[in-house]
Amino acid sequence: MPDTLIPRAAGPVPAHRDANVLRWVAAYTASMLGDTVFFLALSWAAVRGGSPAEAGLVTAVSAVPRALLMLGGGVVADRLGPRRVVIGSDAVRCVTVLAVAAVLFATDPGLWLLALLAVVFGTVDAVFMPAVGALPARITTKDQLARVQGMRGLAVRFAAVVGAPLGGLGVAAGGSAAAFALAGLLIALSLPLLVSVRVRELPADDAAADTTAWRDLVAGLRYIRRHRVLGPLMVTIALGDLGFVGPLNVGLTLLADERGWGASGMGWVLAGFGVGAGTAALLLTVRGRLPHAGCVAAGAIVPGAAAIGVLPHAPGLAVAVGIAVAVGLLTGLSGAVCGALLQTQSEPAYMGRVTAVAGIVSLGVAPLSMPLSAAAIGAWGTGPVFAASAAVCALGGLVALCAPGVRRAELPG
């Protein structure tokens, strides 16, 4: 299936007014909504079908193939083209989830089917995620990539806010089967939108025609390692994700229980984080670029990390929510700008592999650290663990500040 090409435009079109970009954002939003509903349905079905330990294993097992296969997924996205890979992987995800929904409507197969579904979903995600990251560079001009990154961040926040209630409604209406069916339909909604997205053709590379997938992978890793911006930026992103994922997920749950805030209090803290991160994404969407982007990305990480370390010591829930807003704003700003720099600094031909390397920690390795975070909090308490996590995040900011390429990096005007 050949990619549909973008015709030569008379002049640049801002991303938020470009119908082609808006179709992609709408497709991405529908797909992320489906993801949110899917994981809620998976968690609910696993909890209802087994012990807490078994449920935790089912929900975490998808991270394993995602971590192991994502580098290969980046190669696939670059070799075949991100548009067709996104369409194909989204179709597989849709069919798989709808098939499981049909089985659950008919019978109760047990946890084995849920575990198999999680593994399949994680395997397809290993191809889907790099291809999604590679698409923006093919659908708009380089000076609009930062704005697209902001729009993508808004889509993620929207999916997080709306997807959970939708999944809850699906479970309430017809149990896990109905929620899985809803997730499949939302993912299906993205498919016609993706088919209508036009992509930019890359210049022909005769040397690349004779290469193998392994050589492509090695070439991508070498390209990142030697790049004066991408290399240190990957280290910064990895440290930030490793220090952030544990506290925000399992750590926050244990903190809310320890401080007596309850589930509603934890919800308010998460909402505060979402408001801060959404504000950062909106800022990048409206502005389109920020001056001294490298310094902004690196400089926002250190105070954001300090806010993470302070959170367990908040004297009350209201203060904790305010700190969470600051954490979301600062880490959201640094994350959005880092993502925009990845988009603008990378050659489009390498974008799938660059996205895979950037995502392998946050989407594959970091989720596996959550049980370690929980065990550490059980042994030493929330304060020391949050402080250690903050130190890891801050180290990522220091790496970026000490790298001249990142410190001087700018977004295209």
Side-chain angles (χ1 to χ4, degrees):
M1 179 178 63
D3 283 346
T4 306
L5 302 183
I6 297 178
R8 296 186 180 274
V13 179
H16 61 289
R17 298 177 185 173
D18 187 337
N20 194 49
V21 173
L22 293 176
R23 284 193 297 271
W24 177 81
V25 172
Y28 182 72
T29 303
S31 187
M32 291 301 99
L33 277 171
D35 275 8
T36 304
V37 174
F38 166 80
F39 283 109
L40 187 145
L42 182 67
S43 299
W44 180 264
V47 168
R48 294 296 299 269
S51 67
E54 291 171 332
L57 182 62
V58 168
T59 55
V61 74
S62 63
V64 176
R66 196 183 295 126
L68 294 177
L69 302 175
M70 190 170 287
L71 287 177
V75 173
V76 171
D78 286 335
R79 287 177 72 89
L80 300 183
R83 177 177 175 271
R84 66 185 68 182
V85 172
V86 168
I87 293 172
S89 55
D90 234 13
V92 171
R93 292 174 355 134
C94 174
V95 171
T96 303
V97 174
L98 289 176
V100 170
V103 172
L104 291 177
F105 272 122
T107 184
D108 182 11
L111 288 179
W112 70 267
L113 179 64
L114 300 178
L116 178 61
L117 173 62
V119 170
V120 171
F121 214 81
T123 301
V124 179
D125 267 356
V127 180
F128 175 77
M129 293 297 182
V132 164
L135 260 180
R138 307 281 192 101
I139 63 176
T140 191
T141 54
K142 204 163 192 175
D143 63 312
Q144 294 298 313
L145 286 174
R147 181 170 275 125
V148 172
Q149 189 68 21
M151 296 166 71
R152 183 178 177 183
L154 289 175
V156 170
R157 296 300 153 204
F158 177 83
V161 171
V162 176
L166 277 178
L169 287 174
V171 170
S176 301
F180 278 125
L182 176 60
L185 292 175
L186 286 168
I187 295 173
L189 182 62
S190 71
L191 290 172
L193 292 167
L194 288 170
V195 170
S196 69
V197 171
R198 297 164 295 160
V199 299
R200 193 178 310 278
E201 185 178 22
L202 294 181
D205 186 352
D206 295 334
D210 299 328
T211 189
T212 63
W214 175 253
R215 289 176 181 173
D216 282 352
L217 175 59
V218 173
L221 296 175
R222 186 184 300 119
Y223 170 75
I224 294 169
R225 180 174 59 84
R226 293 178 177 177
H227 200 286
R228 64 188 186 89
V229 176
L230 297 180
L233 199 59
M234 291 298 180
V235 177
T236 296
I237 293 171
L239 290 171
D241 287 336
L242 285 173
F244 185 72
V245 169
L248 183 65
N249 290 276
V250 64
L252 184 56
T253 303
L254 296 173
L255 177 63
D257 181 63
E258 176 186 291
R259 300 296 299 275
W261 296 338
S264 62
M266 184 183 70
W268 279 109
V269 175
L270 285 173
F273 167 77
V275 168
T279 301
L282 181 62
L283 174 65
L284 196 58
T285 300
V286 173
R287 291 287 302 264
R289 70 181 297 272
L290 295 173
H292 312 294
C295 282
V296 169
I301 294 174
V302 177
I308 292 173
V310 169
L311 186 59
H313 307 288
L317 179 59
V319 176
V321 172
I323 294 172
V325 172
V327 172
L329 181 62
L330 292 166
T331 59
L333 181 62
S334 63
V337 176
C338 283
L341 287 173
L342 287 181
Q343 291 283 332
T344 55
Q345 294 287 329
S346 303
E347 292 295 330
Y350 288 94
M351 198 64 243
R353 283 162 285 180
V354 169
T355 303
V357 174
I360 193 170
V361 174
S362 59
L363 298 172
V365 178
L368 300 177
S369 71
M370 288 190 286
L372 296 178
S373 297
I377 290 174
W380 297 298
T382 54
V385 173
F386 272 67
S389 297
V392 173
C393 288
L395 181 60
L398 293 177
V399 167
L401 287 171
C402 292
V406 176
R407 199 170 58 244
R408 300 168 186 164
E410 295 282 2
L411 297 173

